[in-house]
Amino acid sequence: MKKLLAGFLILFLLSFISTHKMYAQNDEQKTRFVVWEVKVTPSQNDKLIEAVSFQHDFLKEQNYPYAGYVQYTNDGYFWYSTPFQKFAEIDEMNALDEKLWKEHPEKQKEIWEKFKGNFKSIGGLILELQPEISSLIPQSSEPPTGKQFRFFEKIYLKNGMNMEFTEIAKRYKALREKHGIKDPYYFYYPQFASDMSVVYLVDYMGEDAAEHYSLNAEKWEKFGEEGMKLWEDFKPILERIETHIGTVDYDVSYFPN
């Protein structure tokens, strides 16, 4: 989808391109993601999945080198994420997209017709994975398949409390490890966003919402008094938490050859 909205991408990237150049010399090897956050209705979501699949078939034919992960929620969010590491890769993606669609204008028009009317709004952001406070799945050479349940949280911190949150998150990770809780979860921090006091969480615990909530309750029961102390220390830096139930759809996602 990001390929179709190249003009939007250019405007989005120009808003922070001068900033990311200042960081270039100290660019850590953390995985980052260009994320398109799309608002949809339930009927639009199904049609948007069809359009993304149609576009991915074309990208596969062209041996397009950048992956695209598809996730969506039960309450109208659709996320399309492309991983990268160096910020210079964004310029490379943009140049490749422009070249691809310049060479295939009729295909671009055909694909765009598939997307028309299938979303209410779209925005973009950059997220950076925080492995030191996350529990990661071991990497595999084979791309994943199927649909899997995901629990999403958007955590709004009080202004300037990012360092305090990192310390809380480290304690949370240590508690999970202490009690043998191995379900993966991923924390992401925004980059160059209008609100930097936001933390994004993707939790893999459970096969569905019911199992997630049951396992989560068991987890905090295991934490006992240490968990209660952790929560009490967390509350003063917390503004609010926004939660979503959803799916990662690997069958619709795009993986390069």
Side-chain angles (χ1 to χ4, degrees):
M1 181 165 26
K2 61 188 184 305
K3 330 306 186 295
L4 293 175
L5 300 166
F8 181 88
L9 177 59
I10 292 170
L11 293 175
F12 168 54
L13 297 178
L14 284 176
S15 69
F16 68 84
I17 193 168
S18 59
T19 307
H20 89 65
K21 285 180 178 178
M22 290 192 300
Y23 283 76
Q25 291 182 344
N26 298 312
D27 195 9
E28 297 180 22
Q29 289 298 303
K30 287 186 177 180
T31 301
R32 301 173 173 107
F33 296 83
V34 176
V35 182
W36 297 99
E37 183 174 87
V38 188
K39 289 301 299 287
V40 296
T41 64
S43 61
Q44 285 177 324
N45 193 72
D46 291 341
K47 293 178 180 178
L48 191 54
I49 289 173
E50 291 179 12
V52 169
S53 296
F54 185 79
Q55 176 175 274
H56 284 174
D57 288 342
F58 173 67
L59 296 182
K60 205 74 173 177
E61 293 172 5
Q62 300 300 313
N63 293 315
Y64 191 80
Y66 298 106
Y69 295 92
V70 172
Q71 301 177 93
Y72 41 84
T73 71
N74 298 346
D75 58 346
Y77 283 93
F78 186 105
W79 293 302
Y80 189 98
S81 309
T82 294
F84 70 98
Q85 287 187 317
K86 296 288 186 179
F87 284 107
E89 289 180 64
I90 293 177
D91 300 324
E92 295 170 6
M93 288 184 213
N94 191 45
L96 180 58
D97 290 346
E98 288 187 13
K99 180 176 182 293
L100 178 65
W101 299 121
K102 185 176 181 179
E103 292 175 352
H104 301 277
E106 292 304 315
K107 194 66 178 183
Q108 181 183 30
K109 182 178 179 181
E110 183 183 5
I111 293 174
W112 175 240
E113 288 298 319
K114 299 283 186 182
F115 281 89
K116 277 177 113 176
N118 291 335
F119 53 87
K120 295 193 295 184
S121 64
I122 185 169
L125 67 157
I126 300 288
L127 296 181
E128 182 182 77
L129 174 63
Q130 305 300 309
E132 71 279 6
I133 56 174
S134 302
S135 176
L136 312 180
I137 293 178
Q139 289 191 352
S140 171
S141 58
E142 295 296 322
T145 59
K147 297 179 183 179
Q148 295 179 14
F149 168 81
R150 291 290 182 268
F151 182 81
F152 303 99
E153 283 190 344
K154 191 173 181 180
I155 303 167
Y156 294 83
L157 304 175
K158 290 182 179 177
N159 190 41
M161 293 294 171
N162 300 70
M163 291 181 63
E164 288 80 357
F165 175 81
T166 297
E167 292 306 310
I168 292 288
K170 288 178 180 178
R171 289 167 56 190
Y172 173 70
K173 181 176 181 179
L175 268 178
R176 289 175 64 110
E177 292 173 349
K178 176 181 177 179
H179 293 281
I181 301 170
K182 298 181 180 180
D183 302 276
Y185 67 94
Y186 290 62
F187 279 119
Y188 301 87
Y189 290 169
Q191 304 285 289
F192 321 115
S194 57
D195 188 353
M196 297 294 287
S197 296
V198 179
V199 177
Y200 295 82
L201 168 66
V202 182
D203 195 333
Y204 289 42
M205 180 180 285
E207 296 295 325
D208 54 34
E211 185 177 26
H212 172 83
Y213 286 117
S214 176
L215 291 173
N216 190 59
E218 291 177 12
K219 175 188 71 180
W220 284 100
E221 186 175 350
K222 289 179 180 178
F223 288 174
E225 291 186 6
E226 286 183 286
M228 292 176 62
K229 178 66 166 61
L230 180 68
W231 177 245
E232 290 301 316
D233 290 344
F234 182 36
K235 286 195 294 186
I237 71 170
L238 176 64
E239 192 70 44
R240 63 188 172 92
I241 298 177
E242 179 183 302
T243 63
H244 304 280
I245 300 298
T247 301
V248 56
D249 196 332
Y250 291 121
D251 291 341
V252 177
S253 299
Y254 174 75
F255 300 99
N257 295 323

